Amino acid sequence: MGGLVGAAASGASRRVIAPIVLTTVTGVGLFGISLLADLYGVLAPEGGTGSPPSSLPWVETQIGFAYVHDPTFAYRTFLVPGMDLRLSSLRLSGSGWFALNDDNARLRVEAAHRFIGPGTPDGPRAADGSFLEIEGALTHQRYTSDDFSITTGEVSLEGRLDLAHLGRTLRGSFAEMGWGIAVEGYRHGRRPLEGNELLIPRFAFGAYVGHAGYPRGEAKVVYDHRHDGYVGGAKLPGLGSGVPGHFGLEGRLHASPRWGLLAEVKAGSAYVGRLALLFRPGDSP
């Protein structure tokens, strides 16, 4: 509430809006996570719904399809490939969204360094799923049919805390928080490049699924304040429209050491759903 009052009192001035947005999203995140954690503590079985993996695979690939409902644009269906490559505490990732019914594509590369948390199988086994990492990413999205493109560079700090540290009844659940900033460059046809800054805080509450063997995975509910991408920001009536980001549900379930499924739905100014097949080659944890 204090953040909203501050934004209104300052007229959302660019000089003060950054700390206001970051503190407001963090405050709402702590409140929302606490509420969901209370519900989990009451409803979850003894010992929790699952346990985190002690290590992560060196390589994980995915191939899937996505559907985007946005009345502003013609695209609807997408082919979405991706890959994660881990080398000790370093992660390199790449993904692409390629429209099947329009000339539109989104390419993204990421590099992250993990300070603490589960790493590759050749490293020390983590005690739980908690982690802290810094990530840099570059995204290029071209709307060829609409004659414009967006290129985004960003850096963020993200962490997860297994909530068993806070209470026995919270075993199997976790909370995530992230803070970051992005710089965007827009190009409309042959016009000069235009720049913009974007704050990208986020938070999530989730639970692990499965304790040992397979199937096992995790599911979480997410709020992401970023407004770029296909889902955009929340569409609300009145003065609040365009300020909040978007909400989503994400889950992944591995049926074996090599094969799994990823599913997500997101709602902002558009609606996005995605289903992907996951594959881990070689020996995986």
Side-chain angles (χ1 to χ4, degrees):
M1 178 62 71
L4 296 177
V5 172
S10 66
S13 170
R14 294 177 63 90
R15 296 180 179 179
V16 298
I17 194 61
I20 289 175
V21 168
L22 293 177
T23 54
T24 300
V25 172
T26 301
V28 172
L30 292 174
F31 176 81
I33 289 170
S34 298
L35 176 62
L36 294 174
D38 287 342
L39 292 174
Y40 177 91
V42 172
L43 299 175
E46 183 70 22
T49 57
S51 302
S54 58
S55 64
L56 299 173
W58 286 284
V59 180
E60 183 173 74
T61 63
Q62 62 174 267
I63 183 70
F65 292 92
Y67 179 82
V68 180
H69 177 71
D70 188 338
T72 306
F73 297 100
Y75 51 69
R76 288 293 181 270
T77 56
F78 289 80
L79 176 67
V80 187
M83 183 178 72
D84 293 335
L85 173 64
R86 295 181 176 88
L87 303 169
S88 185
S89 59
L90 177 66
R91 173 177 58 83
L92 302 175
S93 303
S95 63
W97 287 57
F98 303 96
L100 301 178
N101 66 325
D102 191 23
D103 195 352
N104 187 284
R106 182 176 187 265
L107 306 173
R108 180 176 173 89
V109 292
E110 304 170 358
H113 173 74
R114 178 161 289 193
F115 299 103
I116 58 172
T120 50
D122 59 336
R125 297 283 173 166
D128 57 29
S130 303
F131 68 80
L132 179 67
E133 66 181 25
I134 187 169
E135 178 187 275
L138 182 65
T139 306
H140 178 72
Q141 187 167 346
R142 60 176 187 266
Y143 298 75
T144 306
S145 299
D146 301 281
D147 198 26
F148 74 95
S149 64
I150 305 173
T151 301
T152 306
E154 64 191 73
V155 62
S156 61
L157 181 68
E158 300 191 9
R160 171 184 290 189
L161 175 67
D162 276 16
L163 296 180
H165 291 285
L166 304 182
R168 181 177 56 84
T169 60
L170 298 180
R171 289 177 181 172
S173 67
F174 58 85
E176 294 181 354
M177 280 290 218
W179 302 269
I181 187 170
V183 178
E184 297 179 319
Y186 296 83
R187 186 174 297 279
H188 300 262
R190 297 184 178 180
R191 297 178 183 176
L193 189 68
E194 301 176 22
N196 186 40
E197 296 176 355
L198 183 70
L199 295 172
I200 48 175
R202 62 182 296 276
F203 61 83
F205 173 85
Y208 301 107
V209 179
H211 288 281
Y214 293 90
R216 66 186 306 177
E218 65 180 46
K220 59 185 176 182
V221 56
V222 180
Y223 170 81
D224 197 329
H225 193 69
R226 67 187 311 150
H227 291 64
D228 59 342
Y230 291 108
V231 66
K235 185 181 294 183
L236 301 173
L239 295 176
S241 182
V243 176
H246 58 268
F247 289 90
L249 295 172
E250 301 177 10
R252 58 175 61 215
L253 187 68
H254 289 273
S256 72
R258 292 193 176 188
W259 296 98
L261 286 175
L262 179 150
E264 65 177 1
V265 291
K266 297 180 180 180
S269 58
Y271 299 94
V272 176
R274 180 164 67 105
L275 183 65
L277 180 67
L278 305 176
F279 177 65
R280 297 171 170 178
D283 296 328
S284 299

